[in-house]
Every structure is written in C-alpha cells, then in structure tokens.
Amino acid sequence: MNFKFTSQSLDEKRTVVFMSHESENPIVPYFARSLDKEADGTIAKAFNENNFRGEENKNLTISMPQSTKISRIIFQGLGPQDTLNRERLLEAGGALARALTKEYRCEINLLEFQIKSFSPEEIANDLALGIMMKSWSFRRYKTASEANNISCSDVSKLEEVSFVVPNPTKAEDLFVNTRAIEEGISLSRNLSMEPPNILYPRSMALILKDLERFGVLVSILEKEKIEELGMGALLGVSRGSSRDPQVVIMEWNGNPNTNEVIAFVGKGVTFDSGGLNLKSWSGMKEMKYDMTGAATVSGLIRTLARRKSQVNAVGIVGLVENMPSGTSQRPGDIVRTMSGKTVEVLNTDAEGRLVLADVLWYAVEFYKPKLVIDLATLTGAISVALGDYYAGLFSNSEDFSKKLIKTGLEVGEKVWLLPLSKYYDKMLEGRISDLQNISDLQGAGSILAAQFLQNFVKNTPWIHLDIAGVAWTERNRPLYDKGPTGFGVHLLNRFVQSYFE
Ligand code: BES
Ligand code: ZN
Ligand code: ZN
C-alpha cells in the first residue's frame, strides 16, 4: 500500500475522508459546510438520517451528486475529543480500512482538523498504521485467488492513500518510523501464521538470516554448538523432533558511542504438541503460533534496523519443535541447563520455560545487557486471567516495569503487572534436582512459569511478557481479524525510542 502526503487536495474525481469528533447532536463539521452547499445539503441530510455523531469506530459514507468533484465522502468518528489517544486513532484507521476495501485510492483530508494533543501529521501517521494493520492478510496458500484473480471478500483493494496535511515533509519524516513498525508487525504476523510443516526451526532461522539485508548481524547456532554450550534444557525439548533446534542471534548495533546493549529473548517453539504429555486436539490445533515470542523479537529487530534506531539491541530466539516420539524426553527426565542448574521435567508440555532458561542465560552471560526482556506464549493460564487484551508482565525491576506499563497505555498494547515472590520458589524446588518445571500444586500457573525463569537472569534487570493471550485473537477486533496480532513490536519499539535513544 502506498501512502502520500501533500498540502493540497487532489484535483480529480475522488473519495475523501474527514475526521469527526463526537458531539451530542449530529452536525456537519464546519470545514465540510461549503461542500454541503455545493451538494444541496446532501451531507447535512445524511448526518440527520443516520444520526451520526462521530462515535468511535463508526463512520458515515455519503454518495455525492454527479456535479461535484467528490464521488463519496466518508466521515470517520473518533469519539470524544478530550480523551482522544493513539489507540483510538489507530482504531479509526482500522475502521477506515474496512470502509475503504472497495476503493483503489482515496484522500484523507486533515487540513482543517486541529486538536491540541496531536498534530495533523501525527494523526495521519497513526491512521496510516491503523489502516495497514487492519488490512494485513495472509494469502500465500490461497491458490484460487492468486492464480485466477478471484477476489476474496475480506481482501482490500486499497492501493493508495493520500493524506492532505499542513506540513507534508514532517508527515513523511514520521512515516519512516510508521512504515518500520508496520514491517516489523507484519513480519511477526506472517511468521506466526505460517503452517508448522513450512516453518520449523531451520526454515525460520533462514528467514531471519535475511534480516542481514537491513544491516542486522545474524548468527545461527547449530545443534553441535548448542550442545557444546551445554543448553541441556533446550535440547531436551527438541529431542523428540526429527528437526534440529536452532538458536538465532540478531544484533542491531545502532549506537557506536556505547557498549550498552538491551537484549530481547523470544520463545520459538515452532510447534507445541505437548510432547509425551500430548495436548488435546483443541489445545493443539493452533500451536503453530507458539513461536510468536521469537517472531515478535525478530519483527522488533527489523523495525529498529529499518528506522536506524540509535540503540544497541540484540534479539536471541530459541527455535525448537516439541514432539512425541521414541526419542522424546520423558516426564521424570532430569536435564542440566546451561547455567548448571538441573531440572526435573515433570510435564513435557511446560517446555517454553525450559527453552527460555537456556536462552536467557546465554543472553545475560554473553551480553551483560542493561535490561533483558523476554516474550513468550508461555501459559494458557495468562488468558484465563487477562484474555486477549492485556499481556502479563513480570519483572525484578520496578523502574523498567513502570516505564513499560506507561508505554503500553500510550500505544494501546497493554501490559498488566503480576507478582513474583520468593514464596513461589518453594513450589518449584526439586526433590532430587535443583528445580522442577512444574509445581505439584494447582494454581498460579503464569506466576510459577515466570518465577522459574527468574532463576536464569542472575541480577540483570529483566521483564518477562507472557503473550499467550494477546499473540493471537479469535474474534475480529478494530485492528485485527482472527489470527496473529504482532503484539509487542509497536510497544517495544516505542519503549526503546522513549528510554534508550
Ligand atoms: N504453549 C503453551 C502455552 C499456551 C497455551 C500458549 C495456549 C498459547 C495458548 C505452553 O507450552 C504450555 O503448554 N503450557 C502449559 C503449562 C502447564 C503444563 C504447566 C499450560 O499452559 O497448560
Ligand atoms: Zn507446552
Ligand atoms: Zn508452548
């Protein structure tokens, strides 16, 4: 999709979009009144008949008389002016994407739309991101639509959007960031959507290698190297699979003036069958997206590189497939992690924490980062607590967690602080090993998983995001249709921008 920024309306027959704040009575915004005169009151009539008040996520489409230069006008509601935030702007973009699916081109006119909290150029960029996010679709395996050009009803025809704003250069500068975020989100969503027969540790590692074309340094650790490093917990998970594990390291060195680095670690279980503790069919059917933590870390690194972020960041992902077979690890097996700690694997389906134990240790040991953030579809329990809207946040740093919570509210990717406590350590103490990977007791599933991870970060400031609930959505939402959301790319890009550049 193409986005243009100009300071003047196009001089051609076109569809024009205007923004509308919520007001008690349906009224035509002042800047559309001269148009309304030209069109003999068509606009006012439509406002009245449809009782359109500028409510959020609503829009009003009006067909204009032949005599005018404008074929259709769309008014996009933004909700109440005093509480307008970026999430609502993104969602307005999402609503527009739906309203514009049958248009090839359109103009979004923000020339006379002014509010205190956002410049028209910022509004244009948030709308653009919202449009792109809602328009994302995954059609690689739809042969009919590709070959015969049969249109799918849910696929947008929109090719070009022109924003009319007072300062097009400023809008274009901001758009470098917007486009980079969109690319990162799409990379994450594409990887999560790929079927597990196509996307497995090796094939995913090769896709990530491709980030080198944006200046990212990518190294792949093969099985032999992983063995040499002593990542026994990660290796244990992958034992049942015929596919070798991979650890991929993506370095973006954007700030040569410092050695300081921030590390992002991702769970990359390309398929989680549960292993010998096999999942039920309904629990297993979408377990291809158990690599979303890794996908989002990769998307983030791409975003940082694409906008040439002045930060040193490293993304490290542990890629494995969790399968049952004659070579699988068994409940009761004891593995030795890279840290030296031993773990009794009492449930082979609690595998994410085993993978992360070794990758987190690797990150803190070799990079000594200022902060390490891991992302993982770690527990089903987190969606019991928080559903598909808030991610669970666990941290040993009050300072960094406050900052991330604040950033979440700013961009509309929200995180909720849940507790860690020494109290829970008792529940993970092993009988004949240092640790066990699950507790003998019921309850606190997400906390226990986080508490387990804490054993492998030393004293490094650390944030764990359990994204099992938010990584995938089952319903159509303002910015997503059913499927992967790319949650975390926008959030962490903004967090890096605000606190590390
Ligand atoms: N990958 C799952 C967690 C998950 C569940 C992600 C649903 C997305 C949607 C994880 O590996 C897992 O199976 N966790 C178990 C842990 C349990 C055995 C202690 C769970 O949540 O049931
Ligand atoms: Zn599992
Ligand atoms: Zn899993």
Side-chain angles (χ1 to χ4, degrees):
M1 205 179 282
N2 250 324
F3 289 88
K4 287 189 174 160
F5 302 93
T6 64
S7 56
Q8 270 175 345
S9 271
L10 309 176
D11 189 23
E12 59 185 53
K13 195 97 177 158
R14 65 202 193 277
T15 293
V16 180
V17 177
F18 293 110
M19 295 296 131
S20 227
H21 289 304
E22 190 165 339
S23 66
E24 267 175 36
N25 304 314
I27 52 162
V28 179
Y30 68 92
F31 48 80
R33 284 182 197 154
S34 62
L35 263 175
D36 197 26
K37 263 195 203 131
E38 224 180 289
D40 293 331
T42 310
I43 303 177
K45 203 165 144 231
F47 264 74
N48 275 322
E49 276 172 5
N50 294 281
N51 207 15
F52 178 72
R53 299 189 160 129
E55 299 98 321
E56 63 183 289
N57 293 334
K58 286 207 174 160
N59 44 43
L60 175 66
T61 302
I62 305 169
S63 296
M64 294 290 276
Q66 283 294 334
S67 56
T68 66
K69 261 267 151 96
I70 297 174
S71 46
R72 297 205 301 159
I73 295 190
I74 300 175
F75 287 95
Q76 175 59 51
L78 288 174
Q81 178 166 3
D82 49 346
T83 54
L84 186 65
N85 58 21
R86 298 195 64 196
E87 184 177 20
R88 285 235 303 273
L89 285 168
L90 292 171
E91 291 188 355
L96 275 177
R98 276 287 149 269
L100 291 166
T101 45
K102 297 210 161 51
E103 308 277 341
Y104 289 93
R105 321 173 54 186
C106 78
E107 168 183 316
I108 300 184
N109 196 313
L110 300 170
L111 260 196
E112 296 184 59
F113 184 78
Q114 273 161 13
I115 50 169
K116 268 187 249 128
S117 33
F118 299 93
S119 68
E121 292 75 19
E122 284 171 322
I123 296 176
N125 272 274
D126 286 339
L127 291 174
L129 183 57
I131 291 173
M132 290 189 279
M133 285 171 76
K134 185 67 178 179
S135 306
W136 176 83
S137 69
F138 189 88
R139 280 181 295 166
R140 282 189 72 175
Y141 302 100
K142 284 270 190 196
T143 54
S145 63
E146 286 295 322
N148 310 331
N149 206 10
I150 295 172
S151 67
C152 310
S153 57
D154 60 331
V155 173
S156 177
K157 294 193 173 65
L158 194 60
E159 279 169 10
E160 190 175 286
V161 179
S162 303
F163 285 97
V164 187
V165 289
N167 187 343
T169 318
K170 182 176 158 200
E172 259 156 31
D173 288 350
L174 292 172
F175 193 68
V176 173
N177 190 28
T178 305
R179 177 63 89 187
I181 296 171
E182 190 277 329
E183 280 186 18
I185 295 176
S186 287
L187 174 60
S188 171
R189 295 170 92 178
N190 286 336
L191 289 169
S192 297
M193 198 61 134
E194 281 290 351
N197 59 329
I198 305 290
L199 195 93
Y200 47 88
R202 182 72 190 152
S203 63
M204 181 159 168
L206 291 177
I207 294 174
L208 301 189
K209 189 79 184 159
D210 185 52
L211 290 177
E212 288 195 327
R213 72 191 157 100
F214 307 121
V216 180
L217 239 82
V218 185
S219 8
I220 301 177
L221 309 185
E222 304 286 346
K223 189 176 173 205
E224 295 67 37
K225 179 71 191 169
I226 299 172
E227 281 168 347
E228 209 180 286
L229 286 164
M231 293 188 171
L234 182 149
L235 285 162
V237 176
S238 91
R239 277 188 49 171
S241 169
S242 59
R243 292 170 161 146
D244 280 353
Q246 309 261 284
V247 172
V248 182
I249 301 156
M250 298 162 276
E251 286 181 20
W252 168 248
N253 296 313
N255 187 355
N257 303 320
T258 165
N259 303 324
E260 238 173 61
V261 41
I262 157 164
F264 298 94
V265 165
K267 167 178 173 182
V269 177
T270 60
F271 185 70
D272 182 10
S273 69
L276 286 181
N277 292 110
L278 202 63
K279 286 182 183 291
S280 67
W281 77 269
S282 61
M284 207 191 295
K285 68 181 168 13
E286 249 128 25
M287 272 306 119
K288 65 175 183 182
Y289 81 87
D290 211 17
M291 34 53 72
T292 301
T296 300
V297 165
S298 312
L300 173 69
I301 296 291
R302 172 154 171 173
T303 297
L304 296 176
R306 284 299 265 170
R307 66 174 184 81
K308 301 204 164 35
S309 159
Q310 286 178 14
V311 73
N312 300 321
V314 59
I316 312 180
V317 297
L319 308 179
V320 298
E321 191 182 48
N322 188 21
M323 296 292 270
S325 79
T327 59
S328 291
Q329 73 179 345
R330 295 144 288 243
D333 278 5
I334 292 183
V335 294
R336 186 180 298 276
T337 63
M338 185 180 167
S339 73
K341 281 191 180 146
T342 53
V343 182
E344 187 176 7
V345 180
L346 290 174
N347 188 323
T348 61
D349 197 12
E351 84 299 338
R353 62 198 78 180
L354 297 168
V355 174
L356 288 176
D358 281 335
V359 183
L360 276 169
W361 186 264
Y362 182 92
V364 298
E365 181 81 355
F366 287 112
Y367 286 90
K368 310 228 170 336
K370 202 171 151 54
L371 167 68
V372 57
I373 300 184
D374 77 74
L375 289 102
T377 48
L378 205 59
T379 64
I382 202 70
S383 22
V384 176
L386 300 172
D388 64 6
Y389 190 52
Y390 275 83
L393 179 151
F394 302 83
S395 180
N396 58 7
S397 159
E398 206 183 314
D399 175 40
F400 282 127
S401 26
K402 275 194 181 142
K403 287 174 174 159
L404 194 62
I405 290 166
K406 181 164 175 273
T407 312
L409 295 172
E410 277 165 29
V411 305
E413 291 191 353
K414 295 179 185 163
V415 292
W416 194 260
L417 177 67
L418 290 164
L420 291 165
S421 165
K422 274 208 168 68
Y423 171 84
Y424 297 103
D425 282 331
K426 287 261 173 310
M427 295 160 78
L428 293 170
E429 239 169 55
R431 275 158 300 185
I432 53 169
S433 56
D434 300 328
L435 291 164
Q436 51 188 49
N437 77 331
I438 58 161
S439 160
D440 298 330
L441 304 170
Q442 294 281 311
S446 305
I447 299 175
L448 286 168
Q451 197 76 34
F452 182 90
L453 298 182
Q454 194 173 11
N455 285 287
F456 303 94
V457 297
K458 303 185 188 175
N459 289 321
T460 315
W462 157 71
I463 291 176
H464 158 56
L465 295 179
D466 194 335
I467 58 168
V470 295
W472 186 276
T473 187
E474 282 298 322
R475 58 197 171 104
N476 288 350
R477 290 163 53 186
L479 287 172
Y480 319 104
D481 292 337
K482 177 181 163 148
T485 62
F487 181 105
V489 174
H490 192 182
L491 171 70
L492 294 171
N493 176 62
R494 177 68 167 231
F495 176 72
V496 168
Q497 216 163 27
S498 304
Y499 302 106
F500 292 89
E501 286 179 32

